[in-house]
Amino acid sequence: MKDIIYLKQYQGKMGDNMEDRTNKSNNDLNLYTPTNLNAETLLIICKLTLYFANNMELKLYKTKLHKLLFYTEFLYAKEYHRSLLNEKFIKHYYGPVLTGLDEYLKLIDDTPMITLETTNLGTYINPCKNITLDSFDKETQIILLKVVEKFKSFTSSEISDYSHLEPLWLEKDYEEEICYKEAHNLIGL
């Protein structure tokens, strides 16, 4: 809880960090950088990232995190008819991706919550803190239990391939938004 309070206090610095990060060259930025990051979403993504990183059987690579967040968001929307993250997902070659996730992770990486480690296989999230299921509301807990149970042993490639079977992904053009209001079409969970 102390670390979540730290992250809430850190949120005030978000504007300065965003400006610094968006002044980098295009080669340093993800193509899907949002123009305005949301402090509440930053906190939720931090908590979800920590929870997933501590509850997967394999290292949590960013590719897998994108898919875990997709399934969390869309199962949540399917069950409760509203968005959890209030952020946009798009169709990408490797499956659905959360726009701006790289920027959120860079901000979280600047806190004592996680470190981002790059290998020849990609970037993975190394959790520096643990977070328990009771850090989430009951609705989110139900969703997280289902998502973790289903995907905890999947590799990044396996969950990416799995997400390619989703009508939500199949029926979109590349770079097209996958709207949470279409969550009733989710079949993977």
Side-chain angles (χ1 to χ4, degrees):
M1 187 64 180
K2 181 177 138 194
D3 294 319
I4 298 303
I5 292 169
Y6 173 83
L7 186 62
K8 284 183 179 180
Q9 292 170 344
Y10 179 78
Q11 289 171 357
K13 300 177 184 176
M14 205 164 62
D16 294 338
N17 285 347
M18 272 305 298
E19 190 144 333
D20 292 342
R21 294 199 190 285
T22 56
N23 285 333
K24 290 185 175 183
S25 72
N26 287 337
N27 293 336
D28 295 331
L29 289 176
N30 181 308
L31 295 174
Y32 311 108
T33 303
T35 55
N36 187 12
L37 294 180
N38 179 303
E40 186 175 317
T41 302
L42 173 64
L43 181 60
I44 294 168
I45 289 175
C46 179
K47 289 171 61 175
L48 290 171
T49 300
L50 283 171
Y51 185 75
F52 288 138
N54 282 293
N55 288 283
M56 294 292 121
E57 292 176 2
L58 305 168
K59 288 180 181 174
L60 180 59
Y61 281 87
K62 283 193 328 184
T63 298
K64 184 172 181 178
L65 178 60
H66 275 286
K67 305 325 168 241
L68 292 169
L69 292 172
F70 167 78
Y71 279 106
T72 300
E73 171 73 355
F74 283 80
L75 184 57
Y76 187 93
K78 184 177 183 177
E79 295 291 325
Y80 306 117
H81 308 288
R82 64 182 183 276
S83 176
L84 174 66
L85 298 174
N86 297 310
E87 288 289 337
K88 185 168 88 170
F89 284 82
I90 62 168
K91 179 177 181 170
H92 189 267
Y93 179 77
Y94 294 108
V97 297
L98 176 64
T99 60
L101 180 60
D102 281 352
E103 290 301 313
Y104 282 117
L105 289 176
K106 286 176 190 174
L107 288 170
I108 300 166
D109 187 38
D110 287 342
T111 72
M113 304 294 180
I114 66 168
T115 58
L116 298 175
E117 307 288 340
T118 303
T119 70
N120 60 336
L121 299 175
T123 302
Y124 70 91
I125 293 94
N126 184 26
C128 301
K129 305 291 180 185
N130 195 4
I131 192 167
T132 59
L133 196 57
D134 63 2
S135 299
F136 299 93
D137 63 48
K138 293 293 182 197
E139 291 176 340
T140 306
Q141 289 178 22
I142 292 166
I143 301 303
L144 289 175
L145 286 171
K146 290 177 182 178
V147 170
V148 169
E149 181 61 30
K150 177 72 176 179
F151 298 114
K152 66 183 171 188
S153 63
F154 278 46
T155 65
S156 294
S157 293
E158 289 169 338
I159 196 170
S160 184
D161 291 345
Y162 190 85
S163 72
H164 288 188
L165 302 174
E166 289 291 344
L168 289 166
W169 184 83
L170 288 168
E171 296 170 1
K172 300 292 180 187
D173 293 327
Y174 286 108
E175 310 300 320
E176 188 177 352
E177 181 176 358
I178 305 170
C179 182
Y180 82 90
K181 291 179 180 179
E182 300 173 57
H184 60 277
N185 293 325
L186 186 72
I187 61 171
L189 285 172

